[in-house]
Amino acid sequence: MAFANNENLMELVGTTIFDHGVEDFTDELNRAESDVKRYIEVNWFKETYATKRKLVGSTVGSVFDATLLTETQWTHGTIYLAMYRYILPRLSPFRGEDSFSNQISFYKERYFEEIREEMAKGVEYDANDDGVVTEAETHTHRKDRVYR
């Protein structure tokens, strides 16, 4: 399973994304998925669980395992990141004010809005790997707390 595929891409941004001579964006979506996983690991797991702020391994384990994330939680973020970082730059001739260049900033903003909202809502992480994410396995990420 993947965070996002070509069908998800068409559903979110429309079928016209495939009107530019490219029939498959799987590679771009896979690279974006890797970037999203890295973001979650660095900005959620390592910042919250792999530091002295909380006991290492408390409720989530001592090593980040991206396969324990709920994939559908990150579909939109993965697509937005793929659009601004990989897909639109591939399609853009970067001459003057082409529409692809303008869309890059739009999707970049959407990505950061989406990732912030999902982190605030809570990272769904099936720590016991039983296939069910309970309320206790949904971990909110607070950036407003000062740790000493």
Side-chain angles (χ1 to χ4, degrees):
M1 212 47 202
F3 283 9
N5 57 38
N6 286 307
E7 187 176 305
N8 301 133
L9 178 64
M10 284 191 297
E11 289 171 2
L12 189 61
V13 303
T15 58
T16 58
I17 194 65
F18 292 96
D19 292 347
H20 306 285
V22 180
E23 297 177 10
D24 184 20
F25 290 107
T26 301
D27 290 342
E28 290 81 0
L29 291 166
N30 288 340
R31 290 194 334 236
E33 179 178 330
S34 293
D35 293 347
V36 170
K37 287 176 181 177
R38 185 179 68 241
Y39 182 90
I40 296 166
E41 180 177 8
V42 169
N43 293 284
W44 171 70
F45 181 81
K46 287 188 176 181
E47 191 172 298
T48 306
Y49 295 99
T51 66
K52 292 182 181 177
R53 293 183 199 150
K54 289 192 177 188
L55 294 174
V56 173
S58 66
T59 72
V60 296
S62 59
V63 177
F64 179 74
D65 181 354
T67 65
L68 300 177
L69 294 167
T70 301
E71 294 165 342
T72 55
Q73 182 177 14
W74 308 104
T75 299
H76 287 178
T78 300
I79 291 170
Y80 294 147
L81 189 140
M83 288 293 289
Y84 93 80
R85 193 174 282 176
Y86 302 113
I87 295 172
L88 293 170
R90 177 178 177 185
L91 300 175
S92 176
F94 289 106
R95 282 179 270 173
E97 287 294 318
D98 70 277
S99 65
F100 299 118
S101 295
N102 293 332
Q103 290 178 52
I104 288 171
S105 61
F106 171 81
Y107 283 107
K108 186 174 185 177
E109 287 178 32
R110 296 298 78 72
Y111 166 71
F112 285 109
E113 287 173 4
E114 180 71 17
I115 204 85
R116 274 193 307 270
E117 288 173 6
E118 288 298 338
M119 297 287 265
K121 184 175 82 173
V123 175
E124 296 176 9
Y125 190 78
D126 188 14
N128 63 6
D129 199 13
D130 67 354
V132 178
V133 178
T134 65
E135 188 175 327
E137 292 175 311
T138 301
H139 307 274
T140 57
H141 178 68
R142 292 184 54 196
K143 297 286 276 180
D144 61 339
R145 183 167 177 184
V146 177
Y147 294 92
R148 299 182 197 269

